[in-house]
PDB file of all heavy atoms in Angstrom:
ATOM      1  N   SER A   5       4.768   3.413   6.101  1.00 97.00           N
ATOM      2  CA  SER A   5       3.977   4.625   6.316  1.00 97.00           C
ATOM      3  C   SER A   5       4.754   5.866   5.861  1.00 97.00           C
ATOM      4  O   SER A   5       4.199   6.748   5.199  1.00 97.00           O
ATOM      5  CB  SER A   5       3.602   4.737   7.795  1.00 97.00           C
ATOM      6  OG  SER A   5       2.975   5.963   8.053  1.00 97.00           O
ATOM      7  N   SER A   6       6.021   5.912   6.190  1.00 94.00           N
ATOM      8  CA  SER A   6       6.849   7.059   5.816  1.00 94.00           C
ATOM      9  C   SER A   6       7.031   7.168   4.313  1.00 94.00           C
ATOM     10  O   SER A   6       6.985   8.261   3.745  1.00 94.00           O
ATOM     11  CB  SER A   6       8.224   6.959   6.489  1.00 94.00           C
ATOM     12  OG  SER A   6       8.091   7.006   7.885  1.00 94.00           O
ATOM     13  N   ILE A   7       7.240   6.025   3.652  1.00 93.00           N
ATOM     14  CA  ILE A   7       7.397   6.039   2.194  1.00 93.00           C
ATOM     15  C   ILE A   7       6.124   6.550   1.531  1.00 93.00           C
ATOM     16  O   ILE A   7       6.170   7.379   0.624  1.00 93.00           O
ATOM     17  CB  ILE A   7       7.765   4.639   1.658  1.00 93.00           C
ATOM     18  CG1 ILE A   7       9.182   4.255   2.107  1.00 93.00           C
ATOM     19  CG2 ILE A   7       7.655   4.592   0.130  1.00 93.00           C
ATOM     20  CD1 ILE A   7       9.547   2.804   1.823  1.00 93.00           C
ATOM     21  N   ILE A   8       4.982   6.064   1.998  1.00 96.00           N
ATOM     22  CA  ILE A   8       3.701   6.486   1.412  1.00 96.00           C
ATOM     23  C   ILE A   8       3.495   7.979   1.602  1.00 96.00           C
ATOM     24  O   ILE A   8       3.121   8.694   0.660  1.00 96.00           O
ATOM     25  CB  ILE A   8       2.538   5.669   2.010  1.00 96.00           C
ATOM     26  CG1 ILE A   8       2.653   4.205   1.582  1.00 96.00           C
ATOM     27  CG2 ILE A   8       1.187   6.262   1.611  1.00 96.00           C
ATOM     28  CD1 ILE A   8       1.749   3.263   2.358  1.00 96.00           C
ATOM     29  N   GLN A   9       3.753   8.472   2.801  1.00 96.00           N
ATOM     30  CA  GLN A   9       3.570   9.898   3.075  1.00 96.00           C
ATOM     31  C   GLN A   9       4.552  10.746   2.267  1.00 96.00           C
ATOM     32  O   GLN A   9       4.169  11.756   1.665  1.00 96.00           O
ATOM     33  CB  GLN A   9       3.734  10.179   4.568  1.00 96.00           C
ATOM     34  CG  GLN A   9       3.477  11.623   4.915  1.00 96.00           C
ATOM     35  CD  GLN A   9       3.558  11.879   6.408  1.00 96.00           C
ATOM     36  OE1 GLN A   9       4.006  11.038   7.181  1.00 96.00           O
ATOM     37  NE2 GLN A   9       3.125  13.044   6.823  1.00 96.00           N
ATOM     38  N   MET A  10       5.816  10.327   2.243  1.00 93.00           N
ATOM     39  CA  MET A  10       6.835  11.075   1.509  1.00 93.00           C
ATOM     40  C   MET A  10       6.500  11.113   0.021  1.00 93.00           C
ATOM     41  O   MET A  10       6.547  12.178  -0.601  1.00 93.00           O
ATOM     42  CB  MET A  10       8.199  10.437   1.726  1.00 93.00           C
ATOM     43  CG  MET A  10       9.314  11.070   0.926  1.00 93.00           C
ATOM     44  SD  MET A  10      10.870  10.173   1.101  1.00 93.00           S
ATOM     45  CE  MET A  10      10.411   8.547   0.502  1.00 93.00           C
ATOM     46  N   ALA A  11       6.152   9.973  -0.547  1.00 93.00           N
ATOM     47  CA  ALA A  11       5.822   9.925  -1.982  1.00 93.00           C
ATOM     48  C   ALA A  11       4.633  10.833  -2.279  1.00 93.00           C
ATOM     49  O   ALA A  11       4.644  11.565  -3.277  1.00 93.00           O
ATOM     50  CB  ALA A  11       5.531   8.491  -2.402  1.00 93.00           C
ATOM     51  N   GLY A  12       3.624  10.782  -1.442  1.00 94.00           N
ATOM     52  CA  GLY A  12       2.463  11.649  -1.630  1.00 94.00           C
ATOM     53  C   GLY A  12       2.844  13.114  -1.599  1.00 94.00           C
ATOM     54  O   GLY A  12       2.366  13.911  -2.421  1.00 94.00           O
ATOM     55  N   ASN A  13       3.703  13.476  -0.665  1.00 94.00           N
ATOM     56  CA  ASN A  13       4.154  14.862  -0.564  1.00 94.00           C
ATOM     57  C   ASN A  13       4.962  15.299  -1.780  1.00 94.00           C
ATOM     58  O   ASN A  13       5.023  16.482  -2.103  1.00 94.00           O
ATOM     59  CB  ASN A  13       4.980  15.074   0.711  1.00 94.00           C
ATOM     60  CG  ASN A  13       4.133  15.026   1.957  1.00 94.00           C
ATOM     61  OD1 ASN A  13       2.917  15.213   1.921  1.00 94.00           O
ATOM     62  ND2 ASN A  13       4.761  14.748   3.087  1.00 94.00           N
ATOM     63  N   LEU A  14       5.590  14.325  -2.454  1.00 93.00           N
ATOM     64  CA  LEU A  14       6.366  14.618  -3.654  1.00 93.00           C
ATOM     65  C   LEU A  14       5.538  14.468  -4.931  1.00 93.00           C
ATOM     66  O   LEU A  14       6.059  14.587  -6.038  1.00 93.00           O
ATOM     67  CB  LEU A  14       7.593  13.695  -3.726  1.00 93.00           C
ATOM     68  CG  LEU A  14       8.650  13.935  -2.644  1.00 93.00           C
ATOM     69  CD1 LEU A  14       9.705  12.832  -2.677  1.00 93.00           C
ATOM     70  CD2 LEU A  14       9.288  15.303  -2.809  1.00 93.00           C
ATOM     71  N   GLY A  15       4.241  14.190  -4.781  1.00 94.00           N
ATOM     72  CA  GLY A  15       3.354  14.071  -5.931  1.00 94.00           C
ATOM     73  C   GLY A  15       3.462  12.744  -6.666  1.00 94.00           C
ATOM     74  O   GLY A  15       3.126  12.665  -7.842  1.00 94.00           O
ATOM     75  N   MET A  16       3.936  11.721  -5.982  1.00 94.00           N
ATOM     76  CA  MET A  16       4.091  10.401  -6.598  1.00 94.00           C
ATOM     77  C   MET A  16       3.033   9.438  -6.079  1.00 94.00           C
ATOM     78  O   MET A  16       2.595   9.544  -4.941  1.00 94.00           O
ATOM     79  CB  MET A  16       5.458   9.806  -6.255  1.00 94.00           C
ATOM     80  CG  MET A  16       6.628  10.554  -6.776  1.00 94.00           C
ATOM     81  SD  MET A  16       8.138   9.722  -6.241  1.00 94.00           S
ATOM     82  CE  MET A  16       9.262  11.097  -6.211  1.00 94.00           C
ATOM     83  N   ASP A  17       2.664   8.492  -6.925  1.00 95.00           N
ATOM     84  CA  ASP A  17       1.827   7.375  -6.494  1.00 95.00           C
ATOM     85  C   ASP A  17       2.716   6.324  -5.853  1.00 95.00           C
ATOM     86  O   ASP A  17       3.929   6.305  -6.067  1.00 95.00           O
ATOM     87  CB  ASP A  17       1.109   6.742  -7.694  1.00 95.00           C
ATOM     88  CG  ASP A  17      -0.061   7.580  -8.181  1.00 95.00           C
ATOM     89  OD1 ASP A  17      -0.682   8.273  -7.361  1.00 95.00           O
ATOM     90  OD2 ASP A  17      -0.346   7.526  -9.385  1.00 95.00           O
ATOM     91  N   VAL A  18       2.089   5.438  -5.092  1.00 95.00           N
ATOM     92  CA  VAL A  18       2.802   4.333  -4.454  1.00 95.00           C
ATOM     93  C   VAL A  18       2.069   3.045  -4.780  1.00 95.00           C
ATOM     94  O   VAL A  18       0.846   2.987  -4.725  1.00 95.00           O
ATOM     95  CB  VAL A  18       2.866   4.516  -2.920  1.00 95.00           C
ATOM     96  CG1 VAL A  18       3.496   3.303  -2.258  1.00 95.00           C
ATOM     97  CG2 VAL A  18       3.628   5.770  -2.555  1.00 95.00           C
ATOM     98  N   VAL A  19       2.845   2.007  -5.107  1.00 95.00           N
ATOM     99  CA  VAL A  19       2.312   0.661  -5.282  1.00 95.00           C
ATOM    100  C   VAL A  19       2.968  -0.200  -4.216  1.00 95.00           C
ATOM    101  O   VAL A  19       4.191  -0.212  -4.089  1.00 95.00           O
ATOM    102  CB  VAL A  19       2.635   0.084  -6.681  1.00 95.00           C
ATOM    103  CG1 VAL A  19       2.161  -1.361  -6.786  1.00 95.00           C
ATOM    104  CG2 VAL A  19       2.016   0.937  -7.770  1.00 95.00           C
ATOM    105  N   ALA A  20       2.158  -0.899  -3.436  1.00 96.00           N
ATOM    106  CA  ALA A  20       2.690  -1.835  -2.444  1.00 96.00           C
ATOM    107  C   ALA A  20       2.776  -3.206  -3.095  1.00 96.00           C
ATOM    108  O   ALA A  20       1.775  -3.746  -3.550  1.00 96.00           O
ATOM    109  CB  ALA A  20       1.787  -1.874  -1.218  1.00 96.00           C
ATOM    110  N   GLU A  21       3.978  -3.762  -3.133  1.00 94.00           N
ATOM    111  CA  GLU A  21       4.197  -5.075  -3.736  1.00 94.00           C
ATOM    112  C   GLU A  21       4.046  -6.172  -2.685  1.00 94.00           C
ATOM    113  O   GLU A  21       4.336  -5.960  -1.511  1.00 94.00           O
ATOM    114  CB  GLU A  21       5.615  -5.179  -4.313  1.00 94.00           C
ATOM    115  CG  GLU A  21       5.899  -4.243  -5.448  1.00 94.00           C
ATOM    116  CD  GLU A  21       7.312  -4.404  -5.967  1.00 94.00           C
ATOM    117  OE1 GLU A  21       8.275  -4.326  -5.187  1.00 94.00           O
ATOM    118  OE2 GLU A  21       7.442  -4.605  -7.180  1.00 94.00           O
ATOM    119  N   GLY A  22       3.617  -7.333  -3.123  1.00 95.00           N
ATOM    120  CA  GLY A  22       3.603  -8.504  -2.251  1.00 95.00           C
ATOM    121  C   GLY A  22       2.477  -8.539  -1.248  1.00 95.00           C
ATOM    122  O   GLY A  22       2.624  -9.149  -0.182  1.00 95.00           O
ATOM    123  N   VAL A  23       1.348  -7.920  -1.552  1.00 97.00           N
ATOM    124  CA  VAL A  23       0.208  -7.948  -0.631  1.00 97.00           C
ATOM    125  C   VAL A  23      -0.447  -9.325  -0.735  1.00 97.00           C
ATOM    126  O   VAL A  23      -0.948  -9.704  -1.784  1.00 97.00           O
ATOM    127  CB  VAL A  23      -0.806  -6.827  -0.961  1.00 97.00           C
ATOM    128  CG1 VAL A  23      -1.990  -6.881  -0.011  1.00 97.00           C
ATOM    129  CG2 VAL A  23      -0.127  -5.464  -0.929  1.00 97.00           C
ATOM    130  N   GLU A  24      -0.405 -10.060   0.378  1.00 96.00           N
ATOM    131  CA  GLU A  24      -0.924 -11.425   0.375  1.00 96.00           C
ATOM    132  C   GLU A  24      -2.032 -11.647   1.399  1.00 96.00           C
ATOM    133  O   GLU A  24      -2.730 -12.652   1.334  1.00 96.00           O
ATOM    134  CB  GLU A  24       0.218 -12.417   0.639  1.00 96.00           C
ATOM    135  CG  GLU A  24       1.264 -12.387  -0.446  1.00 96.00           C
ATOM    136  CD  GLU A  24       2.394 -13.376  -0.227  1.00 96.00           C
ATOM    137  OE1 GLU A  24       2.382 -14.095   0.801  1.00 96.00           O
ATOM    138  OE2 GLU A  24       3.291 -13.430  -1.077  1.00 96.00           O
ATOM    139  N   GLU A  25      -2.185 -10.731   2.345  1.00 96.00           N
ATOM    140  CA  GLU A  25      -3.164 -10.909   3.416  1.00 96.00           C
ATOM    141  C   GLU A  25      -4.041  -9.667   3.544  1.00 96.00           C
ATOM    142  O   GLU A  25      -3.587  -8.546   3.323  1.00 96.00           O
ATOM    143  CB  GLU A  25      -2.448 -11.154   4.748  1.00 96.00           C
ATOM    144  CG  GLU A  25      -1.534 -12.367   4.734  1.00 96.00           C
ATOM    145  CD  GLU A  25      -0.655 -12.445   5.974  1.00 96.00           C
ATOM    146  OE1 GLU A  25      -0.789 -11.586   6.876  1.00 96.00           O
ATOM    147  OE2 GLU A  25       0.188 -13.358   6.035  1.00 96.00           O
ATOM    148  N   GLU A  26      -5.299  -9.896   3.946  1.00 96.00           N
ATOM    149  CA  GLU A  26      -6.242  -8.780   4.141  1.00 96.00           C
ATOM    150  C   GLU A  26      -5.702  -7.755   5.136  1.00 96.00           C
ATOM    151  O   GLU A  26      -5.884  -6.556   4.945  1.00 96.00           O
ATOM    152  CB  GLU A  26      -7.593  -9.307   4.630  1.00 96.00           C
ATOM    153  CG  GLU A  26      -8.479  -9.853   3.534  1.00 96.00           C
ATOM    154  CD  GLU A  26      -9.026  -8.785   2.594  1.00 96.00           C
ATOM    155  OE1 GLU A  26      -9.179  -7.616   2.987  1.00 96.00           O
ATOM    156  OE2 GLU A  26      -9.305  -9.145   1.439  1.00 96.00           O
ATOM    157  N   ILE A  27      -5.044  -8.219   6.200  1.00 97.00           N
ATOM    158  CA  ILE A  27      -4.543  -7.295   7.219  1.00 97.00           C
ATOM    159  C   ILE A  27      -3.502  -6.351   6.616  1.00 97.00           C
ATOM    160  O   ILE A  27      -3.448  -5.172   6.959  1.00 97.00           O
ATOM    161  CB  ILE A  27      -3.989  -8.036   8.468  1.00 97.00           C
ATOM    162  CG1 ILE A  27      -3.638  -7.056   9.581  1.00 97.00           C
ATOM    163  CG2 ILE A  27      -2.782  -8.889   8.122  1.00 97.00           C
ATOM    164  CD1 ILE A  27      -4.814  -6.405  10.224  1.00 97.00           C
ATOM    165  N   GLN A  28      -2.685  -6.851   5.701  1.00 97.00           N
ATOM    166  CA  GLN A  28      -1.715  -5.995   5.021  1.00 97.00           C
ATOM    167  C   GLN A  28      -2.434  -4.927   4.208  1.00 97.00           C
ATOM    168  O   GLN A  28      -2.075  -3.747   4.258  1.00 97.00           O
ATOM    169  CB  GLN A  28      -0.811  -6.822   4.103  1.00 97.00           C
ATOM    170  CG  GLN A  28       0.088  -7.794   4.828  1.00 97.00           C
ATOM    171  CD  GLN A  28       0.732  -8.795   3.886  1.00 97.00           C
ATOM    172  OE1 GLN A  28       0.160  -9.167   2.854  1.00 97.00           O
ATOM    173  NE2 GLN A  28       1.930  -9.254   4.241  1.00 97.00           N
ATOM    174  N   LEU A  29      -3.463  -5.335   3.480  1.00 97.00           N
ATOM    175  CA  LEU A  29      -4.242  -4.403   2.679  1.00 97.00           C
ATOM    176  C   LEU A  29      -4.889  -3.336   3.560  1.00 97.00           C
ATOM    177  O   LEU A  29      -4.837  -2.144   3.253  1.00 97.00           O
ATOM    178  CB  LEU A  29      -5.315  -5.157   1.883  1.00 97.00           C
ATOM    179  CG  LEU A  29      -6.257  -4.311   1.027  1.00 97.00           C
ATOM    180  CD1 LEU A  29      -5.493  -3.560  -0.050  1.00 97.00           C
ATOM    181  CD2 LEU A  29      -7.331  -5.193   0.413  1.00 97.00           C
ATOM    182  N   GLU A  30      -5.461  -3.751   4.671  1.00 97.00           N
ATOM    183  CA  GLU A  30      -6.113  -2.802   5.583  1.00 97.00           C
ATOM    184  C   GLU A  30      -5.123  -1.779   6.123  1.00 97.00           C
ATOM    185  O   GLU A  30      -5.423  -0.573   6.173  1.00 97.00           O
ATOM    186  CB  GLU A  30      -6.766  -3.564   6.743  1.00 97.00           C
ATOM    187  CG  GLU A  30      -7.975  -4.373   6.328  1.00 97.00           C
ATOM    188  CD  GLU A  30      -8.483  -5.285   7.444  1.00 97.00           C
ATOM    189  OE1 GLU A  30      -8.109  -5.081   8.616  1.00 97.00           O
ATOM    190  OE2 GLU A  30      -9.239  -6.218   7.120  1.00 97.00           O
ATOM    191  N   ILE A  31      -3.943  -2.239   6.515  1.00 97.00           N
ATOM    192  CA  ILE A  31      -2.927  -1.322   7.045  1.00 97.00           C
ATOM    193  C   ILE A  31      -2.462  -0.358   5.955  1.00 97.00           C
ATOM    194  O   ILE A  31      -2.360   0.854   6.187  1.00 97.00           O
ATOM    195  CB  ILE A  31      -1.739  -2.110   7.639  1.00 97.00           C
ATOM    196  CG1 ILE A  31      -2.188  -2.874   8.882  1.00 97.00           C
ATOM    197  CG2 ILE A  31      -0.570  -1.180   7.958  1.00 97.00           C
ATOM    198  CD1 ILE A  31      -1.187  -3.895   9.392  1.00 97.00           C
ATOM    199  N   LEU A  32      -2.204  -0.883   4.786  1.00 98.00           N
ATOM    200  CA  LEU A  32      -1.752  -0.041   3.675  1.00 98.00           C
ATOM    201  C   LEU A  32      -2.794   1.007   3.309  1.00 98.00           C
ATOM    202  O   LEU A  32      -2.457   2.175   3.072  1.00 98.00           O
ATOM    203  CB  LEU A  32      -1.414  -0.903   2.458  1.00 98.00           C
ATOM    204  CG  LEU A  32      -0.155  -1.762   2.604  1.00 98.00           C
ATOM    205  CD1 LEU A  32      -0.147  -2.895   1.591  1.00 98.00           C
ATOM    206  CD2 LEU A  32       1.095  -0.897   2.469  1.00 98.00           C
ATOM    207  N   GLU A  33      -4.058   0.611   3.280  1.00 97.00           N
ATOM    208  CA  GLU A  33      -5.131   1.574   3.000  1.00 97.00           C
ATOM    209  C   GLU A  33      -5.198   2.633   4.095  1.00 97.00           C
ATOM    210  O   GLU A  33      -5.400   3.812   3.801  1.00 97.00           O
ATOM    211  CB  GLU A  33      -6.461   0.852   2.862  1.00 97.00           C
ATOM    212  CG  GLU A  33      -6.592   0.089   1.554  1.00 97.00           C
ATOM    213  CD  GLU A  33      -7.912  -0.651   1.436  1.00 97.00           C
ATOM    214  OE1 GLU A  33      -8.393  -1.220   2.451  1.00 97.00           O
ATOM    215  OE2 GLU A  33      -8.471  -0.673   0.318  1.00 97.00           O
ATOM    216  N   LYS A  34      -5.024   2.218   5.330  1.00 97.00           N
ATOM    217  CA  LYS A  34      -5.037   3.170   6.451  1.00 97.00           C
ATOM    218  C   LYS A  34      -3.921   4.203   6.300  1.00 97.00           C
ATOM    219  O   LYS A  34      -4.096   5.374   6.609  1.00 97.00           O
ATOM    220  CB  LYS A  34      -4.886   2.417   7.781  1.00 97.00           C
ATOM    221  CG  LYS A  34      -4.899   3.318   9.004  1.00 97.00           C
ATOM    222  CD  LYS A  34      -4.758   2.517  10.279  1.00 97.00           C
ATOM    223  CE  LYS A  34      -3.296   2.330  10.546  1.00 97.00           C
ATOM    224  NZ  LYS A  34      -2.961   1.719  11.811  1.00 97.00           N
ATOM    225  N   TYR A  35      -2.784   3.773   5.759  1.00 97.00           N
ATOM    226  CA  TYR A  35      -1.652   4.680   5.546  1.00 97.00           C
ATOM    227  C   TYR A  35      -1.826   5.550   4.302  1.00 97.00           C
ATOM    228  O   TYR A  35      -1.021   6.434   4.054  1.00 97.00           O
ATOM    229  CB  TYR A  35      -0.352   3.901   5.424  1.00 97.00           C
ATOM    230  CG  TYR A  35       0.114   3.238   6.698  1.00 97.00           C
ATOM    231  CD1 TYR A  35       1.005   2.181   6.638  1.00 97.00           C
ATOM    232  CD2 TYR A  35      -0.316   3.651   7.952  1.00 97.00           C
ATOM    233  CE1 TYR A  35       1.450   1.551   7.786  1.00 97.00           C
ATOM    234  CE2 TYR A  35       0.120   3.022   9.105  1.00 97.00           C
ATOM    235  CZ  TYR A  35       1.001   1.979   9.021  1.00 97.00           C
ATOM    236  OH  TYR A  35       1.452   1.355  10.148  1.00 97.00           O
ATOM    237  N   GLY A  36      -2.857   5.271   3.495  1.00 96.00           N
ATOM    238  CA  GLY A  36      -3.116   6.089   2.315  1.00 96.00           C
ATOM    239  C   GLY A  36      -2.637   5.495   1.003  1.00 96.00           C
ATOM    240  O   GLY A  36      -2.695   6.165  -0.026  1.00 96.00           O
ATOM    241  N   CYS A  37      -2.191   4.258   1.026  1.00 96.00           N
ATOM    242  CA  CYS A  37      -1.785   3.600  -0.222  1.00 96.00           C
ATOM    243  C   CYS A  37      -3.045   3.212  -0.987  1.00 96.00           C
ATOM    244  O   CYS A  37      -4.005   2.713  -0.415  1.00 96.00           O
ATOM    245  CB  CYS A  37      -0.942   2.360   0.091  1.00 96.00           C
ATOM    246  SG  CYS A  37      -0.200   1.607  -1.372  1.00 96.00           S
ATOM    247  N   ARG A  38      -3.023   3.446  -2.319  1.00 95.00           N
ATOM    248  CA  ARG A  38      -4.207   3.159  -3.134  1.00 95.00           C
ATOM    249  C   ARG A  38      -3.967   2.112  -4.206  1.00 95.00           C
ATOM    250  O   ARG A  38      -4.896   1.698  -4.897  1.00 95.00           O
ATOM    251  CB  ARG A  38      -4.694   4.446  -3.797  1.00 95.00           C
ATOM    252  CG  ARG A  38      -5.096   5.524  -2.823  1.00 95.00           C
ATOM    253  CD  ARG A  38      -5.651   6.763  -3.527  1.00 95.00           C
ATOM    254  NE  ARG A  38      -5.343   6.826  -4.926  1.00 95.00           N
ATOM    255  CZ  ARG A  38      -4.630   7.790  -5.519  1.00 95.00           C
ATOM    256  NH1 ARG A  38      -4.167   8.781  -4.820  1.00 95.00           N
ATOM    257  NH2 ARG A  38      -4.406   7.783  -6.812  1.00 95.00           N
ATOM    258  N   HIS A  39      -2.716   1.699  -4.392  1.00 95.00           N
ATOM    259  CA  HIS A  39      -2.394   0.750  -5.449  1.00 95.00           C
ATOM    260  C   HIS A  39      -1.637  -0.428  -4.854  1.00 95.00           C
ATOM    261  O   HIS A  39      -0.701  -0.235  -4.073  1.00 95.00           O
ATOM    262  CB  HIS A  39      -1.559   1.418  -6.540  1.00 95.00           C
ATOM    263  CG  HIS A  39      -2.164   2.670  -7.073  1.00 95.00           C
ATOM    264  ND1 HIS A  39      -3.294   2.668  -7.867  1.00 95.00           N
ATOM    265  CD2 HIS A  39      -1.829   3.965  -6.912  1.00 95.00           C
ATOM    266  CE1 HIS A  39      -3.607   3.915  -8.176  1.00 95.00           C
ATOM    267  NE2 HIS A  39      -2.730   4.721  -7.603  1.00 95.00           N
ATOM    268  N   PHE A  40      -2.056  -1.627  -5.247  1.00 95.00           N
ATOM    269  CA  PHE A  40      -1.534  -2.834  -4.625  1.00 95.00           C
ATOM    270  C   PHE A  40      -1.228  -3.884  -5.671  1.00 95.00           C
ATOM    271  O   PHE A  40      -1.839  -3.905  -6.732  1.00 95.00           O
ATOM    272  CB  PHE A  40      -2.560  -3.395  -3.629  1.00 95.00           C
ATOM    273  CG  PHE A  40      -3.151  -2.339  -2.757  1.00 95.00           C
ATOM    274  CD1 PHE A  40      -4.371  -1.754  -3.088  1.00 95.00           C
ATOM    275  CD2 PHE A  40      -2.489  -1.900  -1.632  1.00 95.00           C
ATOM    276  CE1 PHE A  40      -4.923  -0.770  -2.310  1.00 95.00           C
ATOM    277  CE2 PHE A  40      -3.036  -0.900  -0.841  1.00 95.00           C
ATOM    278  CZ  PHE A  40      -4.252  -0.335  -1.181  1.00 95.00           C
ATOM    279  N   GLN A  41      -0.335  -4.781  -5.302  1.00 93.00           N
ATOM    280  CA  GLN A  41       0.050  -5.871  -6.186  1.00 93.00           C
ATOM    281  C   GLN A  41       0.355  -7.062  -5.298  1.00 93.00           C
ATOM    282  O   GLN A  41       1.013  -6.926  -4.278  1.00 93.00           O
ATOM    283  CB  GLN A  41       1.299  -5.430  -6.952  1.00 93.00           C
ATOM    284  CG  GLN A  41       1.935  -6.426  -7.838  1.00 93.00           C
ATOM    285  CD  GLN A  41       3.138  -5.807  -8.545  1.00 93.00           C
ATOM    286  OE1 GLN A  41       3.180  -4.617  -8.810  1.00 93.00           O
ATOM    287  NE2 GLN A  41       4.116  -6.615  -8.838  1.00 93.00           N
ATOM    288  N   GLY A  42      -0.156  -8.226  -5.655  1.00 93.00           N
ATOM    289  CA  GLY A  42       0.185  -9.405  -4.878  1.00 93.00           C
ATOM    290  C   GLY A  42      -0.830 -10.512  -5.008  1.00 93.00           C
ATOM    291  O   GLY A  42      -1.884 -10.361  -5.627  1.00 93.00           O
ATOM    292  N   TYR A  43      -0.508 -11.622  -4.391  1.00 91.00           N
ATOM    293  CA  TYR A  43      -1.334 -12.829  -4.482  1.00 91.00           C
ATOM    294  C   TYR A  43      -2.696 -12.671  -3.837  1.00 91.00           C
ATOM    295  O   TYR A  43      -3.593 -13.455  -4.108  1.00 91.00           O
ATOM    296  CB  TYR A  43      -0.608 -14.017  -3.859  1.00 91.00           C
ATOM    297  CG  TYR A  43       0.561 -14.528  -4.678  1.00 91.00           C
ATOM    298  CD1 TYR A  43       1.476 -15.404  -4.125  1.00 91.00           C
ATOM    299  CD2 TYR A  43       0.740 -14.148  -6.003  1.00 91.00           C
ATOM    300  CE1 TYR A  43       2.543 -15.894  -4.862  1.00 91.00           C
ATOM    301  CE2 TYR A  43       1.808 -14.621  -6.743  1.00 91.00           C
ATOM    302  CZ  TYR A  43       2.707 -15.497  -6.170  1.00 91.00           C
ATOM    303  OH  TYR A  43       3.746 -15.988  -6.898  1.00 91.00           O
ATOM    304  N   LEU A  44      -2.896 -11.689  -2.980  1.00 92.00           N
ATOM    305  CA  LEU A  44      -4.228 -11.456  -2.421  1.00 92.00           C
ATOM    306  C   LEU A  44      -5.221 -11.197  -3.549  1.00 92.00           C
ATOM    307  O   LEU A  44      -6.389 -11.567  -3.457  1.00 92.00           O
ATOM    308  CB  LEU A  44      -4.210 -10.275  -1.447  1.00 92.00           C
ATOM    309  CG  LEU A  44      -5.547  -9.908  -0.804  1.00 92.00           C
ATOM    310  CD1 LEU A  44      -6.065 -11.059   0.060  1.00 92.00           C
ATOM    311  CD2 LEU A  44      -5.414  -8.649   0.036  1.00 92.00           C
ATOM    312  N   PHE A  45      -4.758 -10.596  -4.619  1.00 85.00           N
ATOM    313  CA  PHE A  45      -5.622 -10.241  -5.740  1.00 85.00           C
ATOM    314  C   PHE A  45      -5.607 -11.301  -6.828  1.00 85.00           C
ATOM    315  O   PHE A  45      -6.634 -11.610  -7.408  1.00 85.00           O
ATOM    316  CB  PHE A  45      -5.207  -8.884  -6.306  1.00 85.00           C
ATOM    317  CG  PHE A  45      -5.069  -7.846  -5.232  1.00 85.00           C
ATOM    318  CD1 PHE A  45      -3.816  -7.416  -4.823  1.00 85.00           C
ATOM    319  CD2 PHE A  45      -6.179  -7.350  -4.591  1.00 85.00           C
ATOM    320  CE1 PHE A  45      -3.678  -6.487  -3.812  1.00 85.00           C
ATOM    321  CE2 PHE A  45      -6.053  -6.420  -3.567  1.00 85.00           C
ATOM    322  CZ  PHE A  45      -4.801  -5.995  -3.170  1.00 85.00           C
TER     323      PHE A  45
END
């Protein structure tokens, strides 16, 4: 959550690596992450 917020405040995008479960995706989206990579996809 802190990395996502900090990166956003610095004008950077964030990619979450290793997303394998829907619950991970839901949490990441809740934190404001918009880009994902992993076996879930």
Side-chain angles (χ1 to χ4, degrees):
S5 173
S6 297
I7 291 170
I8 293 167
Q9 183 177 12
M10 176 186 59
N13 289 339
L14 293 171
M16 296 179 207
D17 284 330
V18 175
V19 175
E21 296 180 306
V23 179
E24 297 181 359
E25 302 170 3
E26 279 290 333
I27 187 70
Q28 294 167 329
L29 178 62
E30 290 171 16
I31 293 168
L32 290 161
E33 286 179 321
K34 180 180 87 173
Y35 291 159
C37 188
R38 299 183 343 241
H39 307 289
F40 315 96
Q41 175 179 330
Y43 288 167
L44 179 63
F45 310 106

